[in-house]
Amino acid sequence: MSIVLAGFLLKLMESFFKPVVLSVLLACVFYPFIRKLNTKFKIPWFLGILIVYTTFLVIFSGLVNILSSSLMSIVESYPKYEERFRTIYRTMQESFAANSDSSLLNFFFDFNQDQTLLENISNQLNILSLLKNFAVNFTNSLVSFMKSTFLVLLFSIFLLLEMKFIKIKISTAFSSENSTKIHDIMSRIAIDTTHYVSIKFLISLATGILMILSCLVAGIDFPLVWGFIAFLLNFVPTFGSIISTGLTVVFAFMQCYPSVLPVIFLAIFLAVMNIFLGNVVEPRIEGENLGISPFVILVSLSLWGWLWGFLGLIIAVPLMVIIKIFCENISYLRPIGILLGSGKTARQD
């Protein structure tokens, strides 16, 4: 009943919980850098927060401007890629016709040569109404995003300011025995959570940078756009990297056709990169104790995706890791933490 009630509240109050959860995750990403500035370089805590957030905002603003320019370039280059699509379609149609099976292509997509690509897609998939609704809601979504971004930054700054005094607060609020126990539990949860979120952020950043470099080597247009998509979707386990790789390879095929060498290079490189980063580097850095059961990952993706949409897909696994860590550090919840895990820790025990 408690779980059902919690899910109901998360769905009902998503406009409140989303900024709070994102601020906690953002604070976990920035906390190691601020602590390093404070302990190694003796920079005051507040000044360290100011330095880190100023750097983040400058980088974020630069990325937004670059991505905006890239998206405008995509819009301007649309006629060229539509003509490429028409060429590929005609080649496929002739190939099917030569094999006396021309109806097979039309079964999947009936392309009208007298209409544009967008008109064909709209007629086939009936997305015109969806595009109209998207255009109507875009302004409201943009305003909501800017307001949420401000709240996330504000919440995370105040949370980081509180982290410096949390030990003193616990010692004052509870008895010596309970305060020590609570502090140890919170420390383990904070350390493991910060470790996971920071590593996931860095792995996603490495994925985006390698995607940009591979696109530059292969001569693929708009590398920053594909790098940003790879960075963002890498937070969605397994499926995110597959989707970003698929989108990039399809675009590369459309751009480079009839040449296939750049497409093959890009596909092989991205496949090796995702396998190496996702199955070798990330588990080795994170450690097996943070592993989550694959079944639990799928269930959490479905659940959080239904609750909070695309944002839920991104934060589903980090939240499950936090729940697992919380359960493992409380004695009567430890069996639940073991059941949520991948099983390696349980075999070691």
Side-chain angles (χ1 to χ4, degrees):
M1 291 178 63
S2 299
I3 294 175
V4 172
L5 178 60
F8 174 76
L9 291 176
L10 288 172
K11 184 68 174 179
L12 182 65
M13 303 175 63
E14 62 176 311
S15 59
F16 166 75
F17 281 113
K18 281 181 179 180
V20 174
V21 172
L22 284 176
S23 64
V24 172
L25 295 178
L26 190 63
C28 289
V29 171
F30 290 155
Y31 178 77
F33 301 103
I34 298 170
R35 187 178 180 183
K36 179 73 70 175
L37 291 174
N38 181 252
T39 56
K40 187 174 182 179
F41 300 101
K42 306 302 179 183
I43 296 177
W45 192 262
F46 177 77
L47 184 58
I49 294 175
L50 185 62
I51 292 173
V52 170
Y53 272 82
T54 301
T55 305
F56 168 74
L57 289 176
V58 170
I59 296 174
F60 180 77
S61 300
L63 287 176
V64 169
N65 291 331
I66 294 173
L67 287 173
S68 299
S69 302
S70 299
L71 292 175
M72 290 300 297
S73 300
I74 292 176
V75 174
E76 293 173 358
S77 304
Y78 166 75
K80 179 180 72 173
Y81 293 107
E82 181 178 4
E83 183 59 32
R84 287 288 179 89
F85 177 82
R86 289 175 178 273
T87 302
I88 295 172
Y89 181 85
R90 284 193 294 267
T91 302
M92 294 176 63
Q93 193 176 41
E94 292 171 0
S95 176
F96 278 102
N99 290 280
S100 302
D101 198 10
S102 59
S103 62
L104 183 60
L105 182 62
N106 292 331
F107 175 78
F108 291 102
F109 190 79
D110 187 11
F111 188 82
N112 190 335
Q113 298 285 349
D114 297 327
Q115 295 179 339
T116 65
L117 176 61
L118 288 179
E119 290 173 341
N120 276 277
I121 295 176
S122 177
N123 292 334
Q124 293 293 321
L125 303 179
N126 194 25
I127 63 171
L128 187 59
S129 59
L130 296 177
L131 292 176
K132 289 181 179 178
N133 292 332
F134 175 79
V136 171
N137 296 327
F138 178 76
T139 303
N140 294 332
S141 300
L142 183 61
V143 173
S144 177
F145 172 77
M146 295 303 296
K147 183 175 68 173
S148 299
T149 302
F150 174 76
L151 288 176
V152 168
L153 293 176
L154 187 65
F155 288 167
S156 60
I157 290 173
F158 278 93
L159 179 60
L160 286 168
L161 289 172
E162 292 288 328
M163 283 183 176
K164 185 178 181 181
F165 306 103
I166 190 66
K167 185 176 181 179
I168 300 175
K169 288 185 174 183
I170 293 174
S171 300
T172 306
F174 300 96
S175 63
S176 58
E177 182 180 351
N178 290 333
S179 64
T180 302
K181 184 177 180 181
I182 293 173
H183 181 264
D184 290 342
I185 292 174
M186 292 188 64
S187 296
R188 286 195 294 269
I189 293 173
I191 291 171
D192 289 346
T193 303
T194 302
H195 177 69
Y196 173 81
V197 175
S198 301
I199 294 303
K200 191 66 179 178
F201 177 83
L202 293 175
I203 292 295
S204 299
L205 183 62
T207 302
I209 293 174
L210 290 174
M211 173 70 83
I212 293 173
L213 294 177
S214 63
C215 289
L216 289 174
V217 172
I220 306 303
D221 295 338
F222 319 116
L224 291 175
V225 174
W226 305 118
F228 178 76
I229 292 174
F231 164 77
L232 194 63
L233 291 181
N234 192 67
F235 286 94
V236 181
T238 307
F239 302 104
S241 59
I242 293 175
I243 293 173
S244 64
T245 299
L247 290 174
T248 308
V249 170
V250 169
F251 179 83
F253 176 75
M254 186 177 297
Q255 176 189 329
C256 299
Y257 182 85
S259 176
V260 294
L261 289 179
V263 182
I264 295 175
F265 162 77
L266 191 65
I268 295 175
F269 179 84
L270 295 181
V272 172
M273 176 194 71
N274 287 315
I275 292 173
F276 179 72
L277 291 178
N279 297 283
V280 179
V281 177
E282 189 172 347
R284 184 180 296 273
I285 297 177
E286 289 178 356
E288 296 178 348
N289 61 314
L290 293 181
I292 299 292
S293 165
F295 176 75
V296 173
I297 289 177
L298 292 176
V299 172
S300 63
L301 288 173
S302 301
L303 176 61
W304 289 103
W306 173 74
L307 285 173
W308 289 353
F310 182 70
L311 176 63
L313 294 175
I314 294 178
I315 66 175
V317 176
L319 288 179
M320 289 305 300
V321 170
I322 293 174
I323 293 173
K324 176 178 176 289
I325 295 170
F326 182 81
C327 292
E328 286 180 340
N329 286 281
I330 297 177
S331 58
Y332 57 86
L333 294 178
R334 192 167 186 272
I336 298 177
I338 294 175
L339 292 175
L340 292 177
S342 59
K344 296 179 180 179
T345 304
R347 287 196 297 268
Q348 291 173 359
D349 294 342

